[in-house]
Amino acid sequence: MKRSADDIEEELRRFDGLVDDQTIVISDTSDDEQACLPYPEGTVKLTRMRGEPANGDSVTLRDVLQPAELRKALVTSFVVDMEWLLAHIREGTKLVVVKSYDPQSEPPGVQQTRGGQLTIVHPKFGRTRYPVMHSKVMLLFYPTYVRFVASSANLIDVDWSELQNMVFMQDMPLNTNRTFAETVFGTMLGQALRDLSVPEPVVEQLRHVDMSQVAVRVVTSVPSLRGGARAHAQAYGLARLAQVARELGRMDPAGTEVYCYGSSLGPLTTQYLWDFYSSALGLGPSATAGAPRMKIGFHTDAQGAANKFGETARQCIKCRVDLARDAGFPRAALHVVEAAVARTLVHAKVVMVRTGAQHERGWVYVGSHNFTSGAWGRLNRARTGLAYVNNYEFGVVLPNVRFESVFGRDTVSWQGGRIPLPFRLKWTAYTDSDTPCST
């Protein structure tokens, strides 16, 4: 039965907790309550590969969702296996799913099924030629806290069991009887959700969440031709990355290296590498002779063929066969990446900026942005600070990261905890015989 706009609004009000008998009202946030949160300061995990033992560095989707305690959830994903996802959600849990779709055959907007328990959101694309909603973010509501999740994993089995993905999680106190002070993180998160057409009653829940302990910076992309994106285009893609880099402190190009990894590789030029490098260091658009100090990690065709999970995993690592053969492609920047788990493929999207005498400090980006101009955008040189972007993307920058070698083992740490990486830190340049993995 088709539900009216009034019916949908009422169900979304229930998600907001205004008339939800599952909502538990608690007192003001205390130090004890903060200490009871599983991840009060934020943490990075890897998706657990099938056949690998459980350990403190890896999680399953069930670990992330904690379905027995979950009351409401907002999730976004490029690809969604709805049957698989719902198998991880307890009956009666309210669920909002923002997903990509084909605007030629499906309309934008909000639809509801399962008696109002499931809300499907198709964000607006405008006149984008290749519409892609690629963001992978979650807000998970429990009785006394909200879990914020930013990851590189789609909501399908292969991404959580056969490919190595990264997941950032942070738990924040929830008090439906109080409105907390606004934070920069909260403002950026709210704007990102509105850009994705998330209904306002869901976004309004953020005012009851204490985000004062969140240290990560939000980096999003929104299709530039979507009408609402034009008002604050400086907040997206490379332009936003440059903002964050400036906030963290501009870096000296003479002693700074940038490492980029993604599971999809698009057309690249040396000029684009300079634009990305300059943005990541918090500098303006620039280029000098030669190439910037950048390493682009990407699996080779041989690694794709040798992976132990076969074609289902390999088809998720994408590069057009002809790209690396193009005369203008900066092939010298390509580097072979060895997955931390032997004979597997990395689907994570990572940027690491390392500076200092030993490249011992910097920051790390984790999220949905592949190393493509569709994801990060192309800088508008006529209007400094703006970027033309094709996709919806979402990620976070972890500031003040330390890179060390402890007893010969590379270690990356943040806020006193270790950041497990899906690959080894020693990347080797492509040889003449290496070709990017393609499907």
Side-chain angles (χ1 to χ4, degrees):
M1 181 179 67
K2 186 175 182 179
R3 301 173 64 80
S4 69
D6 288 343
D7 290 337
I8 292 176
E9 180 65 22
E10 177 61 17
E11 287 296 341
L12 290 171
R13 282 169 57 82
R14 290 181 183 277
F15 186 99
D16 189 30
L18 299 177
V19 289
D20 186 352
D21 58 8
Q22 287 186 325
T23 299
I24 298 176
V25 178
I26 62 174
S27 59
D28 289 356
T29 303
S30 67
D31 291 340
D32 288 342
E33 289 162 352
Q34 188 81 21
C36 289
L37 300 176
Y39 303 113
E41 296 182 342
T43 187
V44 176
K45 303 291 186 182
L46 301 177
T47 51
R48 186 170 303 148
M49 311 290 282
R50 183 174 295 124
E52 292 297 311
N55 59 55
D57 288 342
S58 65
V59 289
T60 65
L61 181 61
R62 197 170 298 276
D63 293 332
V64 174
L65 294 177
Q66 300 181 114
E69 304 295 328
L70 186 64
R71 296 293 187 265
K72 317 164 190 178
L74 163 70
V75 300
T76 78
S77 181
F78 176 52
V79 184
V80 182
D81 181 338
M82 198 62 70
E83 183 178 354
W84 180 81
L85 172 61
L86 292 176
H88 290 78
I89 303 291
R90 184 172 55 89
E91 188 71 29
T93 301
K94 292 181 174 66
L95 179 63
V96 175
V97 178
V98 183
K99 66 181 187 67
S100 201
Y101 66 103
D102 181 0
Q104 298 298 319
S105 58
E106 298 178 273
V110 179
Q111 302 173 359
Q112 285 194 329
T113 62
R114 300 170 67 92
Q117 293 293 305
L118 174 62
T119 301
I120 305 295
V121 179
H122 290 166
K124 298 176 182 177
F125 281 117
R127 301 189 306 278
T128 302
R129 184 178 179 185
Y130 302 106
V132 176
M133 201 303 295
H134 201 248
S135 300
K136 300 166 180 68
V137 61
M138 302 182 193
L139 285 177
L140 309 174
F141 292 79
Y142 305 95
T144 59
Y145 67 94
V146 171
R147 173 165 293 175
F148 163 74
V149 182
S151 83
S152 57
N154 288 292
L155 292 171
I156 55 177
D157 180 59
V158 64
D159 277 32
W160 290 85
S161 61
E162 297 183 1
L163 293 166
Q164 195 80 95
N165 280 289
M166 297 183 76
V167 182
F168 174 84
M169 299 188 289
Q170 183 157 1
D171 298 329
M172 306 168 292
L174 170 67
N175 186 339
T176 56
N177 201 36
R178 177 180 175 186
T179 298
F180 288 94
E182 193 170 353
T183 65
V184 174
F185 172 82
T187 300
M188 295 296 296
L189 177 59
Q191 183 59 58
L193 298 181
R194 292 184 178 98
D195 285 335
L196 287 168
S197 304
V198 172
E200 193 61 27
V202 179
V203 181
E204 279 295 302
Q205 281 279 61
L206 297 179
R207 61 196 174 101
H208 300 304
V209 181
D210 181 359
M211 304 185 189
S212 60
Q213 300 304 305
V214 180
V216 297
R217 271 59 164 189
V218 171
V219 179
T220 66
S221 290
V222 172
S224 300
L225 295 181
R226 180 186 178 278
R230 298 172 187 165
H232 43 97
Q234 73 280 0
Y236 302 127
L238 283 183
R240 172 58 183 162
L241 189 67
Q243 284 184 351
V244 170
R246 286 192 291 271
E247 291 171 9
L248 301 180
R250 290 179 172 88
M251 295 184 182
D252 181 3
T256 304
E257 287 191 339
V258 176
Y259 297 69
C260 298
Y261 180 86
S263 61
S264 180
L265 195 61
L268 296 174
T269 63
T270 300
Q271 180 59 66
Y272 188 78
L273 296 191
W274 274 113
D275 286 347
F276 194 99
Y277 183 79
S278 299
S279 299
L281 271 61
L283 310 174
S286 64
T288 59
R293 298 164 65 94
M294 283 189 69
K295 295 181 179 180
I296 304 168
F298 200 78
H299 283 307
T300 65
D301 213 38
Q303 289 176 310
N307 98 86
K308 64 183 179 180
F309 293 113
E311 192 61 26
T312 56
R314 176 178 176 156
Q315 66 184 359
C316 298
I317 310 299
K318 300 179 181 296
C319 176
R320 283 206 336 253
V321 177
D322 61 317
L323 281 184
R325 300 173 185 165
D326 186 276
F329 190 89
R331 181 182 169 84
L334 286 179
H335 284 69
V336 179
V337 172
E338 293 290 342
V341 178
R343 294 183 57 230
T344 64
L345 300 175
V346 178
H347 187 261
K349 298 88 170 72
V350 188
V351 178
M352 299 182 295
V353 176
R354 302 180 60 177
T355 193
Q358 304 296 322
H359 296 154
E360 73 280 3
R361 55 186 172 84
W363 54 258
V364 171
Y365 163 90
V366 176
S368 71
H369 290 75
N370 279 304
F371 191 63
T372 66
S373 59
W376 287 106
R378 300 189 301 274
L379 292 181
N380 185 331
R381 295 184 172 278
R383 301 177 64 191
T384 303
L386 300 182
Y388 172 81
V389 180
N390 184 80
N391 303 358
Y392 284 102
E393 306 279 0
F394 188 100
V396 294
V397 167
L398 284 66
N400 304 319
V401 169
R402 302 292 300 181
F403 301 86
E404 302 173 282
S405 181
V406 180
F407 299 113
R409 181 182 180 185
D410 290 320
T411 301
V412 184
S413 58
W414 178 69
Q415 296 201 151
R418 194 170 75 86
I419 300 177
L421 293 177
F423 42 66
R424 306 189 190 285
L425 270 181
K426 296 188 185 302
W427 296 7
T428 57
Y430 268 40
T431 66
D432 291 341
S433 61
D434 286 328
T435 58
C437 184
S438 58
T439 55

